[in-house]
Amino acid sequence: SAVISQKPSRDICQRGTSLTIQCQVDSQVTMMFWYRQQPGQSLTLIATANQGSEATYESGFVIDKFPISRPNLTFSTLTVSNMSPEDSSIYLCSVNGRNQETQYFGPGTRLLVL
Amino acid sequence: ILNVEQSPQSLHVQEGDSTNFTCSFPSSNFYALHWYRWETAKSPEALFVMTLNGDEKKKGRISATLNTKEGYSYLYIKGSQPEDSATYLCALYYGGSQGNLIFGKGTKLSVKP
């Protein structure tokens, strides 16, 4: 299994500002994933962060809004840029299990944008 | 886009009651079906990974079945306890290198002592 931590655990932000969320894994992994869950909605994949290359974004998500860094094999950041109230969500990072049959998740970052 | 439907949206039971909820999907063209348990302020925790039609998995008082022909999976909890209170998520995994999971909205279970 993998142990994943995220910072911050929660935040309240003003619209128009940006927030960077950090994700740390206790082992080296090739891919890290960023999800969000808007209120009443499903967990939805934002992007896949690969070390040494640009992140791959899912339909409906763009790099200008959600820039991602992946400086090494145990760490990634997701920035939520120019926030609006619609960005209020839980943001989670995850990694694949060893045989890719399951995923391990961080505890999430609960973001409220006023 | 494949929709994963979970029902009910929320469920309130008394301690000791047994309960079950459903994950349904329109197509069986996936690699695996996952069940996760997500307690507030904690990480989603993997419960089961199911791949074959007719699969049955069990962990303590919790069990799950998969019927790919009819497009559903059931999660059962026998003798619910307050610590079972959580949101239970169903997700489909399409394999490959990307590891994209398609999630349902979850079933929120509250168990009253």
Side-chain angles (χ1 to χ4, degrees):
Chain A
S1 65
V3 178
I4 303 173
S5 59
Q6 287 185 232
K7 289 181 181 179
S9 60
R10 58 178 65 241
D11 208 342
I12 301 173
C13 300
Q14 296 297 318
R15 68 174 68 206
T17 63
S18 297
L19 176 72
T20 295
I21 302 168
Q22 299 178 9
C23 178
Q24 179 76 51
V25 190
D26 68 343
S27 57
Q28 293 184 340
V29 293
T30 305
M31 293 184 290
M32 296 175 73
F33 306 97
W34 286 100
Y35 287 83
R36 78 171 180 187
Q37 185 187 44
Q38 294 176 299
Q41 301 301 312
S42 309
L43 266 174
T44 300
L45 183 67
I46 298 172
T48 302
N50 303 299
Q51 199 273 331
S53 63
E54 281 196 4
T56 305
Y57 289 82
E58 297 300 309
S59 175
F61 299 97
V62 295
I63 188 171
D64 289 346
K65 176 67 178 178
F66 297 102
I68 288 171
S69 80
R70 185 75 202 277
N72 57 54
L73 291 172
T74 63
F75 187 79
S76 178
T77 68
L78 171 78
T79 298
V80 187
S81 303
N82 188 25
M83 288 183 285
S84 66
E86 292 72 34
D87 294 318
S88 298
S89 299
I90 302 174
Y91 292 85
L92 295 104
C93 65
S94 74
V95 302
N96 277 331
R98 182 171 297 180
N99 56 6
Q100 296 192 351
E101 279 201 349
T102 191
Q103 284 194 7
Y104 299 100
F105 288 86
T109 296
R110 285 153 179 79
L111 171 63
L112 177 62
V113 184
L114 301 176
Chain B
I1 296 177
L2 193 66
N3 282 332
V4 179
E5 301 288 339
Q6 289 189 248
S7 62
Q9 183 177 354
S10 64
L11 196 55
H12 298 264
V13 302
Q14 289 293 135
E15 182 176 355
D17 288 350
S18 294
T19 187
N20 66 85
F21 21 94
T22 306
C23 172
S24 59
F25 40 87
S27 167
S28 298
N29 189 26
F30 55 85
Y31 182 79
L33 183 145
H34 294 210
W35 280 101
Y36 287 86
R37 167 193 157 89
W38 191 7
E39 289 184 70
T40 303
K42 295 185 177 179
S43 304
E45 171 198 359
L47 289 174
F48 303 114
V49 178
M50 312 180 77
T51 57
L52 299 175
N53 183 46
D55 256 356
E56 292 187 26
K57 297 276 179 89
K58 187 175 181 182
K59 183 185 291 188
R61 293 179 293 98
I62 304 177
S63 60
T65 61
L66 176 63
N67 186 328
T68 58
K69 292 183 179 179
E70 296 187 24
Y72 65 83
S73 174
Y74 288 149
L75 189 79
Y76 301 90
I77 301 179
K78 182 178 179 182
S80 302
Q81 300 296 309
E83 57 265 31
D84 295 328
S85 298
T87 296
Y88 291 82
L89 300 174
C90 171
L92 300 184
Y93 176 61
Y94 289 90
S97 60
Q98 293 303 309
N100 189 4
L101 287 172
I102 307 296
F103 282 88
K105 293 183 179 180
T107 293
K108 185 173 183 179
L109 174 67
S110 298
V111 183
K112 295 182 180 179

